Amino acid sequence: MMAGGDEDVLIIDDRDRYARFRLISWWDQRKIARSKVMVVGAGALGNEVLKNLALLGIGHVVLVDYDEVEHSNLTRSMLYRSHDAGRPKAETAAGRVRELNPDVEITWINGDVMKDVGLGWFQDVDLVLGCLDNREARLWVNRQCWKVSIPWVDAAIQELMGVVKIFVPPDSACYECAMTEQDYRLINLKYSCPLLRREDLIEGKTPTTPTISAITAGMQTQEALKLLHGMAVQAGCAIVYNGIANNLYITQLPRKEECLSHHCYRGIQDASFGSRDKAQDLLASVGGGDLLLDRELVISLRCDLCGRSDDVLRPRTDVTMRDGMCPKCQVVMSVEMGHVVSAGSPLAGRRLEELGVPSNDILRIRKGGSTRHVRLTADRPTLKARGEAD
Ligand SMILES: [Zn+2]
Ligand SMILES: [Zn+2]
């Protein structure tokens, strides 16, 4: 139940779920109820963040995770039960968020943030909370947030250590600004020589405790609260907490002007196309040009020994070493990759989804010397927060 005007603030109405929050001088429950927040990852951090967002009464949560609940998650994930094993994390966590607070609208996407979540989802939220366990996905989220100028708060945990980083495009330091050679090396390790994903590398097995995930996700959600209220935050800073020594420090990350993540899209135009439409139809609607794919595409695989040639048409991140082996010769085949789809080319005859473009995406079309940004609106979902009027 919402309180009426500001004059109600000091009346404690015990039927009002948010009565205690309203006693905080700067608190604006209506602002929170109108907020839209994306949470990427429903693991240990994601569970704690989602719990916090549910209790706060956030208007609309968009939750992305591709994983399923496992028994080993149960020590750090308060939203899961043992009978949830094998169910998608995103759907399961969304159900528990609704139980915790029916005021919260939640849209879940059982998919990979890098492959399955169009940039439009990012444009439609107020901020993004990264609850991820790997650098590659963080780098992706960072670039997406910069393109559409949406702040994001990243968190990472290990044993009793937690780090929260606040990024506010376009001017703060970003996640990539602080990446080291070692970080790039670790990301590239996942792609072996012909750049195909190695499926045998274990990720996300970092040892963590429910205590550090609660502490870190608490700090992360608090930064989100400040951003949603328009309060000052330490943009481009990392908050580092060491739970062994109980010390906490804040460090300003360096901003690199030559950083590859700082590309902001200006003047995004709507196009009444969806990911099921053909690339050539979209290109024709803007008078031709080249569609520049954000997800590099494996077009075909060819065996140099026997001459076998397979059409693939899948994003690079989706093709494993096993897919790249010639079944007859047991050697890794040569890879043809691309990210440019020119009007009139055979690739342009494909549907956008076949080219690895997810629904609700924002595409880059290069024509002459300029690049325009076009949002697919035919499959655009409506994200309505509870606090928003119809
Ligand atoms: Zn940067
Ligand atoms: Zn062969």
Side-chain angles (χ1 to χ4, degrees):
M1 187 184 142
M2 298 281 294
D6 291 335
E7 68 276 13
D8 297 336
V9 162
L10 291 175
I11 300 168
I12 299 177
D13 174 358
D14 282 332
R15 290 161 305 171
D16 171 14
R17 181 177 191 124
Y18 309 105
R20 294 298 184 278
F21 292 160
R22 293 184 210 280
L23 297 175
I24 300 170
S25 60
W26 48 267
W27 199 272
D28 188 341
Q29 192 63 38
R30 279 165 297 185
K31 214 170 238 174
I32 296 172
R34 280 188 213 114
S35 303
K36 295 162 194 165
V37 175
M38 185 191 291
V39 177
V40 190
L45 281 167
N47 266 252
E48 289 292 326
V49 161
L50 289 164
K51 176 265 287 175
N52 291 336
L53 297 177
L55 297 181
L56 289 165
I58 292 288
H60 199 128
V61 174
V62 176
L63 171 61
V64 182
D65 196 294
Y66 63 84
D67 221 353
E68 290 173 355
V69 179
E70 290 175 39
H71 283 284
S72 63
N73 303 138
L74 297 172
T75 52
R76 286 148 297 127
S77 305
M78 56 90 66
L79 300 175
Y80 304 142
R81 310 289 175 260
S82 52
H83 62 258
D84 294 327
R87 291 185 60 206
K89 283 182 177 176
E91 181 185 10
T92 310
R96 299 277 145 67
V97 164
R98 287 193 196 100
E99 276 175 33
L100 279 171
N101 188 350
D103 290 350
V104 177
E105 301 278 347
I106 181 161
T107 301
W108 53 270
I109 301 172
N110 180 27
D112 181 338
V113 70
M114 296 189 284
K115 261 171 30 198
D116 305 318
V117 182
L119 183 55
W121 289 98
F122 287 81
Q123 193 186 23
D124 284 347
V125 295
D126 299 303
L127 60 91
V128 175
L129 296 176
C131 303
L132 294 154
D133 59 11
N134 69 87
R135 291 167 177 81
E136 188 185 21
R138 286 190 177 97
L139 178 57
W140 179 266
V141 167
N142 184 65
R143 289 186 178 172
Q144 296 295 80
C145 287
W146 241 262
K147 287 173 192 168
V148 289
S149 283
I150 297 295
W152 79 287
V153 187
D154 180 41
I157 49 175
Q158 183 165 359
E159 296 181 12
L160 301 187
M161 291 271 292
V163 183
V164 173
K165 295 175 183 170
I166 306 126
F167 302 114
V168 183
D171 297 324
S172 86
C174 83
Y175 177 78
E176 187 166 9
C177 287
M179 269 177 58
T180 60
E181 290 301 317
Q182 166 79 347
D183 291 323
Y184 286 108
R185 204 183 63 77
L186 286 168
I187 289 176
N188 287 325
L189 204 65
K190 276 209 305 218
Y191 299 95
S192 44
C193 192
L195 297 174
L196 298 172
R197 180 185 274 272
R198 285 176 56 180
E199 68 265 48
D200 54 345
L201 279 168
I202 298 168
E203 263 196 317
K205 305 286 181 198
T206 313
T208 63
T209 61
T211 48
I212 195 64
S213 57
I215 291 166
T216 311
M219 293 198 290
Q220 186 183 16
T221 316
Q222 244 169 222
E223 295 308 310
L225 257 184
K226 292 192 233 168
L227 282 163
L228 293 175
H229 276 89
M231 293 165 75
V233 291
Q234 285 155 311
C237 283
I239 307 169
V240 184
Y241 170 71
N242 175 341
I244 302 259
N246 273 331
N247 93 17
L248 183 133
Y249 67 91
I250 295 158
T251 177
Q252 176 73 56
L253 302 169
R255 182 177 156 98
K256 276 189 202 149
E257 290 313 320
E258 72 281 13
C259 173
L260 296 172
S261 278
H262 296 181
H263 189 51
C264 290
Y265 289 4
R266 307 260 177 234
I268 297 169
Q269 297 161 332
D270 284 351
S272 50
F273 291 88
S275 59
R276 287 172 175 262
D277 290 312
K278 287 183 177 161
Q280 66 191 19
D281 295 335
L282 173 67
L283 288 168
S285 77
V286 295
D290 297 328
L291 172 62
L292 308 176
L293 300 172
D294 287 331
R295 298 157 188 84
E296 197 157 22
L297 203 63
V298 175
I299 296 166
S300 68
L301 291 162
R302 199 188 136 79
C303 177
D304 297 330
L305 293 182
C306 70
R308 176 196 173 98
S309 180
D310 294 336
D311 288 337
V312 181
L313 275 190
R314 268 153 63 194
R316 179 182 78 145
T317 49
D318 208 12
V319 180
T320 65
M321 279 292 280
R322 194 179 302 138
D323 299 328
M325 296 287 276
C326 173
K328 189 169 148 223
C329 313
Q330 294 299 312
V331 295
V332 180
M333 297 193 273
S334 303
V335 189
E336 186 201 349
M337 288 201 289
H339 73 280
V340 181
V341 179
S342 301
S345 70
L347 276 184
R350 301 286 190 143
R351 291 201 307 271
L352 291 166
E353 62 183 3
E354 293 179 286
L355 302 173
V357 174
S359 60
N360 198 21
D361 207 10
I362 300 172
L363 303 175
R364 287 179 295 153
I365 297 173
R366 186 180 57 196
K367 205 181 146 203
S370 65
T371 303
R372 66 166 85 197
H373 302 110
V374 175
R375 178 163 175 171
L376 302 179
T377 56
D379 42 25
R380 177 182 188 158
T382 325
L383 285 192
K384 190 157 278 187
R386 186 57 67 98
E388 274 183 322
D390 284 308

